[in-house]
Amino acid sequence: MHVNKVSLSEKFSRITEYWKPYIAGELNGQMVKLDKLKGEFVWHQHEDEDELFLVFKGRFCIEFRDKTVWLEEGEFIVVPRGVEHKPVAKEECWIVLFEPASTRNTGNVDNQMTLHHLERI
Amino acid sequence: MHVNKVSLSEKFSRITEYWKPYIAGELNGQMVKLDKLKGEFVWHQHEDEDELFLVFKGRFCIEFRDKTVWLEEGEFIVVPRGVEHKPVAKEECWIVLFEPASTRNTGNVDNQMTLHHLERI
């Protein structure tokens, strides 16, 4: 039977680029993605998908049009579909994302940060 | 706008019962549930739902019919639909579950551990 556990630390230790989520698990059409953040991402929104961000190590913030939410280790937030947001990490931060398999990293925006294919890790 | 972060530590600190998952978040028809484990659960399976277990604190194991997998802090496993499993926690363990809103804790089994309604925390 093919049921193996995943160590988040071990997977994160192999990620060397920022803003490049890797697929660490898949279930019910949803994906568990691991991403290292540093710097500013782009303003974007996901029209049909809610997105969960969980901080595994470090801290970062998500800017919304009306407020900024800081997320520390062991904290998560669900950004509802249709809500514009912009992740900003002043220092390196390791996050776990939980979202549909179809979710594109830059949502409605297509620019140099857009990834059209995610790798597994 | 109603987008609030959740602290896993803070939520767990309010859970006083074992094997009673609470809903801490919801997205895309999936739920984030928090559960404190201690002792043995029942053998069961979920016919149509994959289930993710992530250890937040402590350790526990999941028995399968052909092997046992130990899960430590920061490790997760996806138990595919249709696979019989039995969680066992020799010591208290705090876990995060990701699974569809419809998932019943005891899956195909209906016994004294079955919960028909989950509370939010």
Side-chain angles (χ1 to χ4, degrees), chain A residues 1-9 24-30 32 34 48-52 54 56 64-67 69-72 74-81 83-84 96 98-100, chain B residues 1-9 24-32 34 48-52 54 56 64-67 69-72 74-81 83-84 98-100:
Chain A
M1 190 192 49
H2 187 65
V3 184
N4 296 313
K5 70 176 180 179
V6 172
S7 161
L8 292 175
S9 295
E26 191 165 3
L27 69 162
N28 306 306
Q30 314 290 308
V32 181
L34 309 184
D48 301 311
E49 298 139 335
D50 312 317
E51 191 171 30
L52 183 148
L54 168 66
F56 181 70
F64 298 100
R65 289 301 184 187
D66 64 346
K67 67 177 177 182
V69 178
W70 275 94
L71 291 155
E72 312 280 342
E75 292 181 342
F76 77 81
I77 198 169
V78 175
V79 178
R81 59 195 68 191
V83 173
E84 275 191 295
V96 179
F98 188 60
E99 58 191 16
Chain B
M1 188 192 52
H2 188 65
V3 183
N4 295 313
K5 70 176 180 179
V6 172
S7 160
L8 292 175
S9 294
E26 191 164 3
L27 68 162
N28 306 305
Q30 313 290 309
M31 280 182 173
V32 180
L34 309 185
D48 301 310
E49 298 138 335
D50 313 317
E51 191 171 31
L52 183 149
L54 168 66
F56 182 70
F64 297 100
R65 290 302 184 186
D66 63 347
K67 67 177 178 182
V69 177
W70 275 95
L71 291 156
E72 313 279 343
E75 292 181 343
F76 76 82
I77 197 169
V78 175
V79 177
R81 59 194 69 191
V83 173
E84 276 191 297
F98 284 114
E99 57 191 17

Side-chain angles (χ1 to χ4, degrees), chain B residues 16-60:
Chain B
T16 56
E17 290 174 84
Y18 297 122
W19 307 110
K20 184 180 176 184
Y22 285 85
I23 301 162
E26 191 164 3
L27 68 162
N28 306 305
Q30 313 290 309
M31 280 182 173
V32 180
K33 300 175 185 174
L34 309 185
D35 201 4
K36 286 188 178 177
L37 316 183
K38 192 173 182 185
E40 298 198 2
F41 204 59
V42 291
W43 278 105
H44 68 284
Q45 66 195 69
H46 306 279
E47 297 301 345
D48 301 310
E49 298 138 335
D50 313 317
E51 191 171 31
L52 183 149
F53 297 80
L54 168 66
V55 177
F56 182 70
K57 189 174 172 183
R59 63 201 298 261
F60 80 114

Side-chain angles (χ1 to χ4, degrees), chain A residues 19 37-39 52-63 68-73 75-77 85-97, chain B residues 5:
Chain A
W19 306 112
L37 316 183
K38 191 173 182 185
L52 183 148
F53 298 79
L54 168 66
V55 178
F56 181 70
K57 188 174 172 184
R59 63 201 298 260
F60 81 115
C61 67
I62 301 185
E63 294 179 11
T68 296
V69 178
W70 275 94
L71 291 155
E72 312 280 342
E73 220 169 281
E75 292 181 342
F76 77 81
I77 198 169
H85 58 286
K86 176 188 174 184
V88 177
K90 294 188 178 177
E91 304 293 333
E92 181 174 306
C93 182
W94 300 4
I95 65 164
V96 179
L97 293 158
Chain B
K5 70 176 180 179

